[in-house]
Amino acid sequence: MDRRRIFTLDPERFPAHLVKDLVDTIHARDQHYIVMVDPAVYYPESNPALDEGLRYDAFLKEANGTNYQGVVWAGPSYFPDWFEKNSQQYWNEQFVNFFDGVNGPDIDALWIDMNEVSRECTLRVEQLTNTRSTARELLQPPLPW
């Protein structure tokens, strides 16, 4: 991942051509490449998964209609709303477009992890209302970001 952005590869540490070589080697040894994906979508900065999720209006909403904001491993995050009509198309397209063997690895299986929204409930009220500063305090993701 590039700076914990879902559906990305780090171009310096894990460039696409080296990841492809790794997966090809695994497959040549009759092994399988299984990937774990957590649905948290980092939101303060534009990235493909965020931009498409916003275009599809696929994220969970607060009562006032704004996107629900949480802080998890990726840092400040939005979460797909699995009951939203456009969410399934958004999510499927993310997988088809990334795990195609060109833009991302050619996977054999997938493990969707942490598909429930959660918030660290031991935080102070002011931390819950400012997800960006909370992410920095918790070093999620670790600096720099």
Side-chain angles (χ1 to χ4, degrees), residues 7 90-101 103:
F7 303 115
Y90 156 70
W91 196 240
N92 288 347
E93 285 180 9
Q94 293 303 299
F95 281 95
V96 168
N97 293 335
F98 183 69
F99 294 113
D100 63 357
N103 297 306

Side-chain angles (χ1 to χ4, degrees), residues 22-126:
L22 170 68
V23 175
D24 289 347
T25 300
I26 289 170
H27 287 157
R29 294 176 179 167
D30 202 25
Q31 295 174 308
H32 300 283
Y33 187 69
I34 300 170
V35 175
M36 180 189 296
V37 175
D38 293 352
V41 178
Y42 180 81
Y43 73 81
E45 298 168 2
S46 177
N47 64 79
L50 171 66
D51 298 343
E52 283 301 296
L54 293 171
R55 187 173 74 80
Y56 275 102
D57 197 26
F59 299 122
L60 282 172
K61 303 282 189 227
E62 296 279 1
N64 67 6
T66 62
N67 288 325
Y68 175 87
Q69 301 173 349
V71 176
V72 292
W73 63 271
S77 299
Y78 292 151
F79 305 90
D81 180 350
W82 305 118
F83 296 103
E84 166 55 46
K85 64 181 179 168
N86 296 326
S87 187
Q88 190 64 57
Q89 184 176 354
Y90 156 70
W91 196 240
N92 288 347
E93 285 180 9
Q94 293 303 299
F95 281 95
V96 168
N97 293 335
F98 183 69
F99 294 113
D100 63 357
V102 176
N103 297 306
D106 179 17
I107 63 174
D108 297 301
L110 181 67
W111 173 2
I112 302 287
D113 190 39
M114 297 296 293
N115 60 344
E116 71 282 356
V117 175
S118 58
R119 238 185 211 176
E120 183 60 50
C121 294
T122 60
L123 299 176
R124 299 182 312 271
V125 171
E126 61 272 14

